[in-house]
PDB file of all heavy atoms in Angstrom:
ATOM      1  N   ILE B 213      85.560 106.519  87.440  1.00  0.00           N
ATOM      2  CA  ILE B 213      85.628 107.188  86.122  1.00  0.00           C
ATOM      3  C   ILE B 213      84.230 107.748  85.855  1.00  0.00           C
ATOM      4  O   ILE B 213      83.241 107.008  85.850  1.00  0.00           O
ATOM      5  CB  ILE B 213      86.009 106.198  85.008  1.00  0.00           C
ATOM      6  CG1 ILE B 213      87.344 105.522  85.306  1.00  0.00           C
ATOM      7  CG2 ILE B 213      86.008 106.899  83.641  1.00  0.00           C
ATOM      8  CD1 ILE B 213      88.565 106.451  85.243  1.00  0.00           C
ATOM      9  N   VAL B 214      84.164 109.055  85.683  1.00  0.00           N
ATOM     10  CA  VAL B 214      82.836 109.682  85.533  1.00  0.00           C
ATOM     11  C   VAL B 214      82.565 110.015  84.067  1.00  0.00           C
ATOM     12  O   VAL B 214      81.430 110.357  83.699  1.00  0.00           O
ATOM     13  CB  VAL B 214      82.714 110.971  86.397  1.00  0.00           C
ATOM     14  CG1 VAL B 214      82.672 110.597  87.861  1.00  0.00           C
ATOM     15  CG2 VAL B 214      83.837 111.943  86.115  1.00  0.00           C
ATOM     16  N   TRP B 215      83.609 109.995  83.253  1.00  0.00           N
ATOM     17  CA  TRP B 215      83.379 110.262  81.820  1.00  0.00           C
ATOM     18  C   TRP B 215      84.549 109.674  81.060  1.00  0.00           C
ATOM     19  O   TRP B 215      85.678 109.723  81.499  1.00  0.00           O
ATOM     20  CB  TRP B 215      83.334 111.769  81.554  1.00  0.00           C
ATOM     21  CG  TRP B 215      82.994 112.128  80.132  1.00  0.00           C
ATOM     22  CD1 TRP B 215      81.767 112.309  79.590  1.00  0.00           C
ATOM     23  CD2 TRP B 215      83.959 112.379  79.062  1.00  0.00           C
ATOM     24  NE1 TRP B 215      81.867 112.614  78.243  1.00  0.00           N
ATOM     25  CE2 TRP B 215      83.179 112.664  77.910  1.00  0.00           C
ATOM     26  CE3 TRP B 215      85.336 112.350  78.970  1.00  0.00           C
ATOM     27  CZ2 TRP B 215      83.787 112.934  76.680  1.00  0.00           C
ATOM     28  CZ3 TRP B 215      85.912 112.624  77.732  1.00  0.00           C
ATOM     29  CH2 TRP B 215      85.133 112.914  76.589  1.00  0.00           C
ATOM     30  N   SER B 216      84.253 109.092  79.919  1.00  0.00           N
ATOM     31  CA  SER B 216      85.346 108.693  79.042  1.00  0.00           C
ATOM     32  C   SER B 216      84.890 108.884  77.582  1.00  0.00           C
ATOM     33  O   SER B 216      83.726 108.757  77.260  1.00  0.00           O
ATOM     34  CB  SER B 216      85.762 107.231  79.296  1.00  0.00           C
ATOM     35  OG  SER B 216      84.673 106.369  79.141  1.00  0.00           O
ATOM     36  N   GLY B 217      85.877 109.185  76.728  1.00  0.00           N
ATOM     37  CA  GLY B 217      85.552 109.423  75.343  1.00  0.00           C
ATOM     38  C   GLY B 217      86.779 109.918  74.617  1.00  0.00           C
ATOM     39  O   GLY B 217      87.914 109.803  75.120  1.00  0.00           O
ATOM     40  N   ALA B 218      86.558 110.517  73.442  1.00  0.00           N
ATOM     41  CA  ALA B 218      87.700 111.005  72.641  1.00  0.00           C
ATOM     42  C   ALA B 218      88.232 112.283  73.299  1.00  0.00           C
ATOM     43  O   ALA B 218      87.451 113.119  73.807  1.00  0.00           O
ATOM     44  CB  ALA B 218      87.268 111.268  71.231  1.00  0.00           C
ATOM     45  N   MET B 219      89.545 112.450  73.229  1.00  0.00           N
ATOM     46  CA  MET B 219      90.164 113.658  73.804  1.00  0.00           C
ATOM     47  C   MET B 219      89.637 114.899  73.098  1.00  0.00           C
ATOM     48  O   MET B 219      89.388 115.939  73.727  1.00  0.00           O
ATOM     49  CB  MET B 219      91.700 113.569  73.632  1.00  0.00           C
ATOM     50  CG  MET B 219      92.495 114.663  74.317  1.00  0.00           C
ATOM     51  SD  MET B 219      92.400 114.560  76.103  1.00  0.00           S
ATOM     52  CE  MET B 219      92.196 116.282  76.510  1.00  0.00           C
ATOM     53  N   ALA B 220      89.465 114.796  71.796  1.00  0.00           N
ATOM     54  CA  ALA B 220      89.022 115.941  71.003  1.00  0.00           C
ATOM     55  C   ALA B 220      87.666 116.427  71.470  1.00  0.00           C
ATOM     56  O   ALA B 220      87.383 117.633  71.499  1.00  0.00           O
ATOM     57  CB  ALA B 220      89.015 115.573  69.514  1.00  0.00           C
ATOM     58  N   GLU B 221      86.838 115.453  71.851  1.00  0.00           N
ATOM     59  CA  GLU B 221      85.491 115.820  72.293  1.00  0.00           C
ATOM     60  C   GLU B 221      85.555 116.652  73.569  1.00  0.00           C
ATOM     61  O   GLU B 221      84.889 117.695  73.668  1.00  0.00           O
ATOM     62  CB  GLU B 221      84.679 114.519  72.551  1.00  0.00           C
ATOM     63  CG  GLU B 221      83.220 114.758  72.867  1.00  0.00           C
ATOM     64  CD  GLU B 221      82.482 113.484  73.216  1.00  0.00           C
ATOM     65  OE1 GLU B 221      83.002 112.373  72.836  1.00  0.00           O
ATOM     66  OE2 GLU B 221      81.455 113.544  73.849  1.00  0.00           O
ATOM     67  N   LEU B 222      86.385 116.240  74.557  1.00  0.00           N
ATOM     68  CA  LEU B 222      86.493 116.979  75.783  1.00  0.00           C
ATOM     69  C   LEU B 222      87.175 118.338  75.548  1.00  0.00           C
ATOM     70  O   LEU B 222      86.787 119.350  76.094  1.00  0.00           O
ATOM     71  CB  LEU B 222      87.279 116.168  76.831  1.00  0.00           C
ATOM     72  CG  LEU B 222      87.471 116.817  78.185  1.00  0.00           C
ATOM     73  CD1 LEU B 222      86.118 116.960  78.904  1.00  0.00           C
ATOM     74  CD2 LEU B 222      88.426 116.016  79.074  1.00  0.00           C
ATOM     75  N   ALA B 223      88.223 118.308  74.697  1.00  0.00           N
ATOM     76  CA  ALA B 223      88.981 119.515  74.444  1.00  0.00           C
ATOM     77  C   ALA B 223      88.115 120.611  73.812  1.00  0.00           C
ATOM     78  O   ALA B 223      88.308 121.816  74.035  1.00  0.00           O
ATOM     79  CB  ALA B 223      90.178 119.232  73.555  1.00  0.00           C
ATOM     80  N   GLY B 224      87.140 120.178  73.027  1.00  0.00           N
ATOM     81  CA  GLY B 224      86.299 121.148  72.315  1.00  0.00           C
ATOM     82  C   GLY B 224      85.044 121.547  73.061  1.00  0.00           C
ATOM     83  O   GLY B 224      84.215 122.273  72.509  1.00  0.00           O
ATOM     84  N   ASP B 225      84.871 121.093  74.267  1.00  0.00           N
ATOM     85  CA  ASP B 225      83.611 121.349  74.971  1.00  0.00           C
ATOM     86  C   ASP B 225      83.896 121.933  76.375  1.00  0.00           C
ATOM     87  O   ASP B 225      84.088 121.224  77.347  1.00  0.00           O
ATOM     88  CB  ASP B 225      82.822 120.034  75.103  1.00  0.00           C
ATOM     89  CG  ASP B 225      81.407 120.269  75.602  1.00  0.00           C
ATOM     90  OD1 ASP B 225      81.150 121.324  76.193  1.00  0.00           O
ATOM     91  OD2 ASP B 225      80.545 119.380  75.382  1.00  0.00           O
ATOM     92  N   ALA B 226      83.946 123.250  76.449  1.00  0.00           N
ATOM     93  CA  ALA B 226      84.302 123.929  77.709  1.00  0.00           C
ATOM     94  C   ALA B 226      83.242 123.618  78.761  1.00  0.00           C
ATOM     95  O   ALA B 226      83.584 123.464  79.958  1.00  0.00           O
ATOM     96  CB  ALA B 226      84.393 125.434  77.452  1.00  0.00           C
ATOM     97  N   ALA B 227      82.021 123.500  78.374  1.00  0.00           N
ATOM     98  CA  ALA B 227      80.970 123.239  79.360  1.00  0.00           C
ATOM     99  C   ALA B 227      81.140 121.856  79.980  1.00  0.00           C
ATOM    100  O   ALA B 227      80.980 121.680  81.195  1.00  0.00           O
ATOM    101  CB  ALA B 227      79.595 123.318  78.669  1.00  0.00           C
ATOM    102  N   LEU B 228      81.537 120.929  79.168  1.00  0.00           N
ATOM    103  CA  LEU B 228      81.779 119.547  79.650  1.00  0.00           C
ATOM    104  C   LEU B 228      82.958 119.563  80.646  1.00  0.00           C
ATOM    105  O   LEU B 228      82.897 118.918  81.711  1.00  0.00           O
ATOM    106  CB  LEU B 228      82.121 118.621  78.460  1.00  0.00           C
ATOM    107  CG  LEU B 228      82.252 117.131  78.809  1.00  0.00           C
ATOM    108  CD1 LEU B 228      80.980 116.546  79.389  1.00  0.00           C
ATOM    109  CD2 LEU B 228      82.665 116.346  77.553  1.00  0.00           C
ATOM    110  N   GLN B 229      83.995 120.282  80.291  1.00  0.00           N
ATOM    111  CA  GLN B 229      85.168 120.404  81.187  1.00  0.00           C
ATOM    112  C   GLN B 229      84.722 120.989  82.523  1.00  0.00           C
ATOM    113  O   GLN B 229      85.104 120.516  83.602  1.00  0.00           O
ATOM    114  CB  GLN B 229      86.219 121.295  80.562  1.00  0.00           C
ATOM    115  CG  GLN B 229      86.883 120.725  79.332  1.00  0.00           C
ATOM    116  CD  GLN B 229      87.650 121.794  78.558  1.00  0.00           C
ATOM    117  OE1 GLN B 229      88.036 122.826  79.091  1.00  0.00           O
ATOM    118  NE2 GLN B 229      87.820 121.579  77.269  1.00  0.00           N
ATOM    119  N   GLU B 230      83.916 122.047  82.417  1.00  0.00           N
ATOM    120  CA  GLU B 230      83.435 122.725  83.636  1.00  0.00           C
ATOM    121  C   GLU B 230      82.635 121.751  84.501  1.00  0.00           C
ATOM    122  O   GLU B 230      82.852 121.697  85.741  1.00  0.00           O
ATOM    123  CB  GLU B 230      82.546 123.893  83.201  1.00  0.00           C
ATOM    124  CG  GLU B 230      82.041 124.761  84.342  1.00  0.00           C
ATOM    125  CD  GLU B 230      83.123 125.730  84.889  1.00  0.00           C
ATOM    126  OE1 GLU B 230      83.895 126.251  84.077  1.00  0.00           O
ATOM    127  OE2 GLU B 230      83.158 125.873  86.112  1.00  0.00           O
ATOM    128  N   ARG B 231      81.835 120.929  83.856  1.00  0.00           N
ATOM    129  CA  ARG B 231      80.975 120.012  84.609  1.00  0.00           C
ATOM    130  C   ARG B 231      81.809 118.884  85.244  1.00  0.00           C
ATOM    131  O   ARG B 231      81.587 118.512  86.396  1.00  0.00           O
ATOM    132  CB  ARG B 231      79.926 119.425  83.636  1.00  0.00           C
ATOM    133  CG  ARG B 231      78.960 118.473  84.306  1.00  0.00           C
ATOM    134  CD  ARG B 231      77.807 118.147  83.432  1.00  0.00           C
ATOM    135  NE  ARG B 231      78.155 117.434  82.196  1.00  0.00           N
ATOM    136  CZ  ARG B 231      78.364 116.112  82.140  1.00  0.00           C
ATOM    137  NH1 ARG B 231      78.242 115.370  83.242  1.00  0.00           N
ATOM    138  NH2 ARG B 231      78.666 115.529  81.009  1.00  0.00           N
ATOM    139  N   LEU B 232      82.803 118.385  84.475  1.00  0.00           N
ATOM    140  CA  LEU B 232      83.553 117.218  84.946  1.00  0.00           C
ATOM    141  C   LEU B 232      84.656 117.582  85.942  1.00  0.00           C
ATOM    142  O   LEU B 232      84.925 116.855  86.895  1.00  0.00           O
ATOM    143  CB  LEU B 232      84.198 116.475  83.756  1.00  0.00           C
ATOM    144  CG  LEU B 232      83.251 115.819  82.791  1.00  0.00           C
ATOM    145  CD1 LEU B 232      83.995 115.308  81.578  1.00  0.00           C
ATOM    146  CD2 LEU B 232      82.496 114.686  83.502  1.00  0.00           C
ATOM    147  N   MET B 233      85.303 118.719  85.694  1.00  0.00           N
ATOM    148  CA  MET B 233      86.494 118.998  86.490  1.00  0.00           C
ATOM    149  C   MET B 233      86.390 120.300  87.267  1.00  0.00           C
ATOM    150  O   MET B 233      87.333 120.728  87.937  1.00  0.00           O
ATOM    151  CB  MET B 233      87.724 119.011  85.590  1.00  0.00           C
ATOM    152  CG  MET B 233      88.056 117.626  85.080  1.00  0.00           C
ATOM    153  SD  MET B 233      89.437 117.591  83.928  1.00  0.00           S
ATOM    154  CE  MET B 233      88.693 118.098  82.428  1.00  0.00           C
ATOM    155  N   GLY B 234      85.247 120.941  87.133  1.00  0.00           N
ATOM    156  CA  GLY B 234      85.036 122.138  87.915  1.00  0.00           C
ATOM    157  C   GLY B 234      85.677 123.391  87.354  1.00  0.00           C
ATOM    158  O   GLY B 234      85.644 124.449  87.957  1.00  0.00           O
ATOM    159  N   LEU B 235      86.316 123.282  86.186  1.00  0.00           N
ATOM    160  CA  LEU B 235      86.906 124.480  85.573  1.00  0.00           C
ATOM    161  C   LEU B 235      87.112 124.189  84.092  1.00  0.00           C
ATOM    162  O   LEU B 235      87.234 123.055  83.658  1.00  0.00           O
ATOM    163  CB  LEU B 235      88.238 124.878  86.212  1.00  0.00           C
ATOM    164  CG  LEU B 235      89.473 124.003  85.942  1.00  0.00           C
ATOM    165  CD1 LEU B 235      90.683 124.719  86.464  1.00  0.00           C
ATOM    166  CD2 LEU B 235      89.341 122.656  86.589  1.00  0.00           C
ATOM    167  N   SER B 236      87.124 125.280  83.319  1.00  0.00           N
ATOM    168  CA  SER B 236      87.370 125.130  81.922  1.00  0.00           C
ATOM    169  C   SER B 236      88.879 125.160  81.655  1.00  0.00           C
ATOM    170  O   SER B 236      89.589 125.968  82.218  1.00  0.00           O
ATOM    171  CB  SER B 236      86.708 126.295  81.154  1.00  0.00           C
ATOM    172  OG  SER B 236      87.190 126.298  79.850  1.00  0.00           O
TER     173      SER B 236
END
Side-chain angles (χ1 to χ4, degrees):
Chain B
I213 302 293
V214 291
W215 185 88
S216 58
M219 186 68 222
E221 186 184 340
L222 181 66
D225 190 339
L228 186 62
Q229 293 165 23
E230 183 77 39
R231 181 168 64 81
L232 294 173
M233 291 176 279
L235 72 169
S236 167

